[in-house]
Amino acid sequence: MIIDGHSHVTLPVQEHIKAMDAAGIDKTVLFSTAFHPEAAKNFAEVKSSMEFLNDLLAGKKGSMVEERQKAVLELRDAIRQYPDRYIGFGAVPAGLERKPTLQYVDETIQKNNLAGMGEFTLGSGQIRLLKNIFCASQEFHNLPIWIHAFFPLTAADIKEISELAKDYPETPVILGHLGGSNWLATVALVKEIPNLYLDTSAYYSTFVLASVINEVPKKCFFGVDRPFGDLQLSKNAVLQFARTSAVANAVLGENIARLLKLA
């Protein structure tokens, strides 16, 4: 079973399913989104979308509670249309106090039968805001946490995430995009910490992708990051650079299936 471990709701949803069928993707771990760059009609609209994304990644958008709730409803509706193809991860605002965080996770993640929390997009120096997210994961049977780990996060930020992972050893923590330009330091942490994993989407270069999936094949999850990545090209890259079929199979589906108990 080939599983895209990280893509966002794209509209119309039916086009995503068609693309999955064409690329031979059996299931997608689907994430909510606060905006839809795939709907851009021209470059000016693309630019506007990217400015929104940059502000989001820099932590300039705050908790965006209302926007996240709307996005989770959109995610829920997509999963209800295709329950055999989608598994959901829902956005949770970071930085709330413990009680409101637990209440939000209960009402938004648990009651919608979502499998994990994320994607968390934080500015550099903001990792402390995840403390109550980790508390909530533990409270709700160790929900996986998916964290954007490309720019603007630094090696120090990723190290701080790893310390939280150590403090909560039963909580699966997925670092997005192989750690971006900090991939070497990130791989070292993943080797050391059992509950720390890597997502391959938006990898830094094909050299990095090849190096990492062959070094820690059991700790990598195939991801596309649709609409920013292409399903077929992303799948082909893993198949091309995996040294063995065992490596390809682990990355393309076995690892995430085991984590989410999909087998």
Side-chain angles (χ1 to χ4, degrees), residues 143-162:
L143 285 165
I145 297 173
W146 204 107
I147 304 169
H148 174 96
F150 216 132
F151 178 85
L153 294 196
T154 65
D157 295 315
I158 294 172
K159 175 66 173 174
E160 194 172 345
I161 294 168
S162 76

Side-chain angles (χ1 to χ4, degrees), residues 63-106:
S63 63
M64 294 180 61
V65 172
E66 290 185 8
E67 292 87 346
R68 293 182 195 280
Q69 289 174 333
K70 179 181 177 182
V72 168
L73 292 177
E74 186 178 66
L75 171 68
R76 182 198 65 187
D77 291 344
I79 295 170
R80 286 180 176 176
Q81 288 183 65
Y82 298 98
D84 59 330
R85 306 300 296 277
Y86 288 144
I87 305 104
F89 270 43
V92 178
L96 300 180
E97 295 297 324
R98 186 175 187 275
K99 186 175 179 180
T101 299
L102 292 174
Q103 183 178 358
Y104 191 98
V105 172
D106 182 42

Side-chain angles (χ1 to χ4, degrees), residues 23 45 129 204 220 230-231 236:
E45 291 184 6
L129 300 179
Y204 191 65
C220 291
D230 179 84
L231 278 71
N236 289 351

Side-chain angles (χ1 to χ4, degrees), residues 194-216:
N195 57 317
L196 202 57
Y197 300 90
L198 292 170
D199 149 82
T200 68
S201 69
Y203 49 83
Y204 191 65
S205 72
T206 52
F207 175 81
V208 170
L209 176 70
S211 299
V212 176
I213 65 173
N214 290 297
E215 181 65 14
V216 286

Side-chain angles (χ1 to χ4, degrees), residues 100-170:
T101 299
L102 292 174
Q103 183 178 358
Y104 191 98
V105 172
D106 182 42
E107 294 178 353
T108 304
I109 305 300
Q110 291 292 101
K111 290 182 179 177
N112 286 310
N113 297 311
L114 300 179
M117 298 184 288
E119 160 181 19
F120 291 97
T121 53
L122 300 165
S124 182
Q126 296 182 340
I127 303 306
R128 67 188 185 282
L129 300 179
L130 290 175
K131 173 66 176 177
N132 286 330
I133 299 299
F134 277 78
C135 291
S137 169
Q138 186 178 61
E139 185 77 16
F140 292 101
H141 310 292
N142 300 306
L143 285 165
I145 297 173
W146 204 107
I147 304 169
H148 174 96
F150 216 132
F151 178 85
L153 294 196
T154 65
D157 295 315
I158 294 172
K159 175 66 173 174
E160 194 172 345
I161 294 168
S162 76
E163 293 301 320
L164 279 169
K166 288 180 182 179
D167 290 341
Y168 294 85
E170 301 302 316

